Amino acid sequence: MKQSLAIVTGAGRGIGKAIAQRLKEDGFHLLIADLDAKAGAQAALELDARFVKCNVGEENSVVQLFKAADKTGLSIDVVVNNAGIIRDGVIWKLDSRDFDLVINVNLRGTWLMCREAAIRMRQQGFGHIINIASRAWLGNPGQTNYSASKAGVIGLTRALALELAGKGVSVNAVAPGLIDTPMTQNLPEQVRQKLINSQPGKNMGSAKDVAEAVAFLASEKNRFITGQVIHVDGGKSIGSLAF
Ligand code: NAI
C-alpha cells in the first residue's frame, strides 16, 4: 500500500478522534492537530499518530502544521477539517466576539486548511478533502453564528470541488446531526433532551457513525463523488416529522 498520510484537525477528542481511529484502521498514517495540547498528545499516543498543536484559526499555525506534514515525507492524501466550536445564544444576546470567534475557527480555519491542502494535492494529482460541516447549516435557532459558519463551509466545499475537479482531488462535506460527544454532553440536560426529542428517531448518533462516512469519502472507493454534502443525522435534515 502507498504510504499515505491523513491529517485530522480537532482529533484530540469527539468526532475528530473517532475519524482518526477509523482512518488508522484503513491503513493511513496519522497526523493529529488540536488546539488542546494535552488531549491531542494523549490521542496521538493512543492512535500511534504524530501530533502537532495547531490553532486552525491562525494562518501561521496552519502553515506550520503542513510544514510538519511535509517533513514526514509521506503523501498528504487525506485532510479532514473537523475542528469546530460553538458559542450559542439568540442573536440579541450574542456579543459580536462570539460571531468572530466561531467564523474564525469554523470557516476561516477550514479555508486556511483547504488552501494548504489544495497547494499540495493539485501538485501530486491526488487527494481527498473532507470538511466537517453540520446539519445546522440549514438553520438552527440560537446558532446564527454557527449556522452561518457551517453554511460557509459548504459553499467553500462546493467552490473548491470545482477548482480541483480536474486535478484528481475530491472535496466533500459531511454534515453531522446530533452526535454524542463532549460538545453535546456539555449542553444543559434540558436542551439535550429537547434536541433528542426533535430527532425523527428520538436518538443521537455516535462519533463512529460520522467516521464511517468520512472513511468512505477518503477511500479509493470514492472516485466520482465531489462537492457533495452527506448528512449523518438520523434523517433530521429531511425536515418533516416522523410518524
Ligand atoms: P468537541 O468539542 O468534542 O471536539 C472539538 C475538538 O476540536 C477539541 O479537541 C478541540 O480542542 C478542538 N479545537 C477547537 N478549536 C480548535 C482550533 N481553533 N484549532 C484546532 N483544534 C480546535 O466537538 P465535536 O462534537 O467532536 O465536533 C467536531 C466537529 O463536528 C465540529 O466541527 C462540530 O462543529 C461538528 N459537529 C458536531 C456535532 C455534534 O453533535 N457533536 C453536530 C454537527 C457538527
Side-chain angles (χ1 to χ4, degrees):
M1 188 186 168
K2 184 161 71 138
Q3 297 282 295
S4 290
L5 183 73
I7 302 177
V8 186
T9 66
R13 68 182 202 188
I15 292 172
K17 190 173 177 185
I19 291 169
Q21 165 77 54
R22 182 63 184 77
L23 293 177
K24 183 184 164 64
E25 286 164 21
D26 279 352
F28 288 98
H29 295 270
L30 291 174
L31 177 54
I32 284 176
D34 206 293
L35 184 60
D36 182 338
K38 203 171 159 205
Q42 178 60 34
L45 198 68
E46 288 171 32
L47 298 174
D48 190 22
R50 291 169 176 83
F51 169 66
V52 173
K53 184 180 179 204
C54 171
N55 179 354
V56 297
E58 274 182 19
E59 186 164 8
N60 190 43
S61 193
V62 170
V63 169
Q64 293 308 321
L65 168 65
F66 275 83
K67 279 194 180 154
D70 292 338
K71 277 200 191 137
T72 65
L74 298 165
S75 166
I76 304 170
D77 289 344
V78 172
V79 171
V80 183
N81 297 313
N82 163 81
I85 56 167
I86 49 174
R87 289 292 182 278
D88 292 352
V90 283
I91 197 166
W92 50 91
K93 289 189 180 165
L94 281 183
D95 191 284
S96 65
R97 277 172 297 193
D98 297 323
F99 179 82
D100 293 344
L101 192 60
V102 168
I103 293 290
N104 188 53
V105 174
N106 297 5
L107 179 55
R108 187 167 172 276
T110 301
W111 187 89
L112 290 169
M113 287 290 302
C114 280
R115 185 177 58 172
E116 294 305 311
I119 288 167
R120 289 155 178 84
M121 288 177 176
R122 70 190 289 276
Q123 202 172 20
Q124 71 194 20
F126 181 79
H128 296 295
I129 297 173
I130 297 121
N131 295 327
I132 305 303
S134 167
R135 189 218 55 88
W137 81 281
L138 295 166
N140 253 3
Q143 292 196 314
T144 48
N145 49 0
Y146 183 76
S147 294
S149 74
K150 295 299 191 177
V153 164
I154 287 169
L156 155 62
T157 301
R158 290 165 60 98
L160 188 57
L162 292 173
E163 290 185 3
L164 295 175
K167 306 288 179 194
V169 181
S170 82
V171 189
N172 288 290
V174 169
L178 192 60
I179 307 292
D180 196 7
T181 69
M183 185 186 264
T184 45
Q185 283 153 16
N186 288 338
L187 292 170
E189 188 50 30
Q190 213 185 343
V191 175
R192 222 172 100 87
Q193 272 313 320
K194 215 173 152 185
L195 290 170
I196 293 171
N197 286 333
S198 73
Q199 282 286 118
K202 311 266 182 266
N203 53 0
M204 285 183 111
S206 71
K208 189 160 189 312
D209 293 324
V210 181
E212 290 296 338
V214 172
F216 173 76
L217 292 169
S219 75
E220 293 165 353
K221 291 176 190 157
N222 178 21
R223 281 192 345 103
F224 207 49
I225 303 173
T226 194
Q228 302 306 306
V229 186
I230 311 246
H231 288 94
V232 181
D233 67 351
K236 175 87 171 172
S237 54
I238 298 166
S240 292
L241 293 174
F243 300 119

